[in-house]
Amino acid sequence: MTDVFGLSHKDSSPINGQARHEQVVFCSDDRSGLHAIIAIYSTALGPGLGGTRFYPYESEQAALADVLNLSRAMAYKNALAGLDLGGAKAVIIGDPATDKSEALLRAYGRFIQSLGGRYYTACDVGTYSEDMDIVARESGFVTGRTVAHGGAGDSSILTAYGVFQGMRAAAQHVYGASTLRGRRVGVEGVGKVGHRLVEHLLEDGAEVVVCDVSEHAVEKVRAAHPQVEVVADAAAMKLADIDVYSPCALGAALDDDTVAGLSAKIVCGGANNQLAHPGVEKQLAERGILYAPDYVVNSGGVIQVADEIEGFNMDRARVKATQIFDTTLKIFSIAEEEGVPPAAAADRLAERRMSEVGRLRGIWLGR
């Protein structure tokens, strides 16, 4: 038995403050092997939107801690993306390579449907647009579907584009010009998001250094772009002579040791939960390293899948993702004015929107 309320605030909240989730649902269907948790952090701005992560967690407790972290971050991400959507997330406990099946995904879809629209799901680690098509056979609250079924397809397209917009804003703040031309950018992780980011950077005239745990991923990038430099691993990347460090792999890339050895002046990447603990953003600021909050700059993906709810239009979604540039600049400005790290400024801006817009739900509409 997992004690939902026994988690410490440190474990259940990725950002300063205490997590207060509206609803946490445990879903189980033994015949299909489904064991999932859906966490809805906030519906202040609208129904909760967040992807489904399919991962072989070592325990239910670890899965619960992850989904609580991720769902709270989604509330902040959706708020700063200007979406009328709250924050939620789901995890399916298991190995997607061996445990994923039509029956399991459809059983999961039934649980989503049972929430009556409080939660919209999409893709995340271990799930793909094709999986969402199967989930959607049992639920009408599914985004991130294939293009063949009217969906947005691969959300990494606008995720990478949004990270690039955030990086342009960081360059504007640090160097006085919204371009990476002539700058040396290290991209750690060249998977779905990272390899697309590399393309944006090269088109902008940047020098690009990459690394990835997958040799195949690196070889694929090098085959398309021979001018890209490769370093051995993440440790070498963090110590490399680069202007911008862009973590696009797993979370917690920035810890005390990393920050101490980092030569980059800017950190801006697509990975979620990049800060290993809440004090890291202060250490970055003390070293004069500008941190573009991850949930701000990587929100292009959620903007892309959220657009499906209205009927997907890539041009409309791209215009909204372009606004990440202005939002990121605004956060840097607030941080300077209030004397706080950008991560704290981003939190305050998100909380302000959730409070100011969310309170309007209290105005009775007579229905």
Side-chain angles (χ1 to χ4, degrees):
M1 176 68 116
T2 300
D3 179 6
V4 179
F5 303 102
L7 286 172
S8 71
H9 295 310
K10 179 180 178 182
D11 291 335
S12 63
S13 174
I15 309 169
N16 292 337
Q18 297 180 345
R20 290 288 184 267
H21 288 73
E22 290 182 13
Q23 187 175 12
V24 180
V25 181
F26 289 78
C27 314
S28 181
D29 179 61
D30 289 339
R31 291 193 64 179
S32 67
L34 174 70
H35 297 286
I37 308 172
I38 300 171
I40 300 172
Y41 178 75
S42 169
T43 57
L45 295 176
L49 169 65
T52 296
R53 179 166 295 190
F54 203 137
Y55 189 79
Y57 294 95
E58 60 184 19
S59 67
E60 187 180 67
Q61 188 81 5
L64 178 59
D66 199 30
V67 77
L68 293 179
N69 275 335
L70 293 167
S71 58
R72 186 174 192 269
M74 285 306 304
Y76 283 64
K77 178 182 291 190
N78 292 342
L80 286 178
L83 301 174
D84 292 332
L85 293 164
K89 201 81 173 186
V91 296
I92 297 175
I93 303 170
D95 185 344
T98 56
D99 298 332
K100 189 188 296 182
S101 68
E102 178 187 350
L104 182 148
L105 292 172
R106 293 183 72 157
Y108 174 59
R110 301 285 291 183
F111 281 105
I112 294 174
Q113 188 67 18
S114 74
L115 293 173
R118 281 177 56 77
Y119 171 56
Y120 277 82
T121 195
C123 308
D124 197 76
V125 175
T127 58
Y128 301 88
S129 295
E130 292 77 11
D131 299 325
M132 293 302 108
D133 285 344
I134 297 173
V135 175
R137 292 165 72 176
E138 302 293 341
S139 176
F141 306 108
V142 183
T143 62
R145 299 189 63 186
T146 62
V147 174
H149 286 87
D154 185 359
S155 64
S156 67
I157 295 172
L158 289 191
T159 302
Y161 177 72
V163 172
F164 177 61
Q165 295 306 317
M167 200 177 292
R168 288 180 57 240
Q172 173 69 48
H173 190 80
V174 173
Y175 301 116
S178 59
T179 178
L180 282 305
R181 180 171 298 279
R183 304 297 172 187
R184 190 169 164 84
V185 182
V187 180
E188 180 184 322
V190 286
K192 290 193 293 185
V193 173
H195 89 270
R196 293 184 185 277
L197 177 60
V198 168
E199 292 172 359
H200 288 300
L201 290 167
L202 291 173
E203 288 174 3
D204 195 38
E207 297 177 20
V208 179
V209 184
V210 304
C211 71
D212 198 294
V213 294
S214 167
E215 290 185 12
H216 174 71
V218 172
E219 289 169 0
K220 186 176 178 181
V221 170
R222 285 276 292 163
H225 309 289
Q227 70 270 43
V228 168
E229 184 181 333
V230 179
V231 294
D233 52 28
M237 177 66 78
K238 294 177 177 76
L239 295 174
D241 181 18
I242 52 179
D243 299 303
V244 182
Y245 169 52
S246 184
C248 293
L250 297 177
L254 292 159
D255 56 21
D256 298 348
D257 292 338
T258 297
V259 173
L262 203 61
S263 64
K265 292 297 183 184
I266 295 170
V267 173
C268 178
N272 287 311
N273 301 329
Q274 293 170 21
L275 307 181
H277 60 80
V280 175
E281 68 268 31
K282 185 178 179 181
Q283 295 176 37
L284 286 165
E286 289 173 347
R287 287 211 59 220
I289 300 171
L290 182 66
Y291 171 63
D294 49 46
Y295 71 82
V296 177
V297 302
N298 69 14
S299 62
V302 75
I303 289 171
Q304 183 172 329
V305 299
D307 197 80
E308 289 183 33
I309 297 173
E310 192 175 341
F312 184 63
N313 181 291
M314 177 59 93
D315 291 337
R316 180 178 61 208
R318 183 178 290 272
V319 167
K320 194 163 191 65
T322 302
Q323 295 170 6
I324 291 172
F325 175 86
D326 293 326
T327 302
T328 307
L329 272 182
K330 183 176 182 179
I331 286 166
F332 294 151
S333 178
I334 292 172
E336 280 197 340
E337 291 172 4
E338 300 185 2
V340 298
D347 291 352
R348 292 179 185 181
L349 190 60
E351 289 160 1
R352 189 181 308 159
R353 181 166 185 258
M354 284 189 275
S355 175
E356 292 177 354
V357 178
R359 73 167 185 81
L360 300 177
R361 300 295 178 88
I363 299 175
W364 187 55
L365 299 178
R367 66 174 188 266

